[in-house]
Amino acid sequence: MRPGPEDLAPLLAGAATAVGAAGALLALANSDSPLRGPLTLFFLLAAPAAAIAAALRGLDPFGRTLASLAGAVVVNMLVAQGMLALHQWSATGGIVTVTALSSLLFLLVLARRLRGRTERRRNP
């Protein structure tokens, strides 16, 4: 059997997670690496986009991708605007805030899915 594109999805998801985590760690460590900028930008786009894509499970793949990328840009802009309005701008604070918002959205999606499973088990 030859591996198909569906077999590469977990591998690509793992690679994207590793690249995003490396970007966040390089930014939080205030590293002087030339990879810091591109990897941090990838993290800032990928983390909220993945969380939003998980919440939009019912859409077709193209619409889901487009909506999640647009939502990621909106999340980043709202975080930046909020930090600037409060005179609390820092790159580290922005990364921590985007991480917290993305994690919160992932947890809400997970809680909704788990609640749906328990309701289906109770009411067969």
Side-chain angles (χ1 to χ4, degrees):
M1 291 183 61
R2 293 181 60 189
E6 64 275 352
D7 295 334
L8 291 177
L11 179 66
L12 293 176
T17 302
V19 168
L25 290 175
L26 285 173
L28 292 174
N30 206 13
S31 172
D32 289 332
S33 171
L35 294 176
R36 176 183 164 189
L39 295 182
T40 302
L41 180 62
F42 179 79
F43 171 77
L44 288 173
L45 286 174
I52 293 169
L56 299 175
R57 193 169 65 168
L59 291 178
D60 64 300
F62 180 72
R64 187 173 164 184
T65 302
L66 191 61
S68 63
L69 285 175
V73 171
V74 168
V75 167
N76 286 313
M77 290 178 72
L78 287 174
V79 167
Q81 185 175 1
M83 292 178 75
L84 287 172
L86 296 173
H87 302 289
Q88 298 295 322
W89 173 254
S90 74
T92 303
I95 291 169
V96 169
T97 305
V98 168
T99 303
L101 289 174
S102 299
S103 299
L104 179 64
L105 185 56
F106 265 129
L107 289 175
L108 289 173
V109 169
L110 180 64
R112 184 181 70 190
R113 287 183 186 166
L114 290 176
R115 187 183 61 205
R117 285 183 185 169
T118 57
E119 288 176 0
R120 279 184 293 214
R121 271 193 237 150
R122 282 190 222 151
N123 303 322

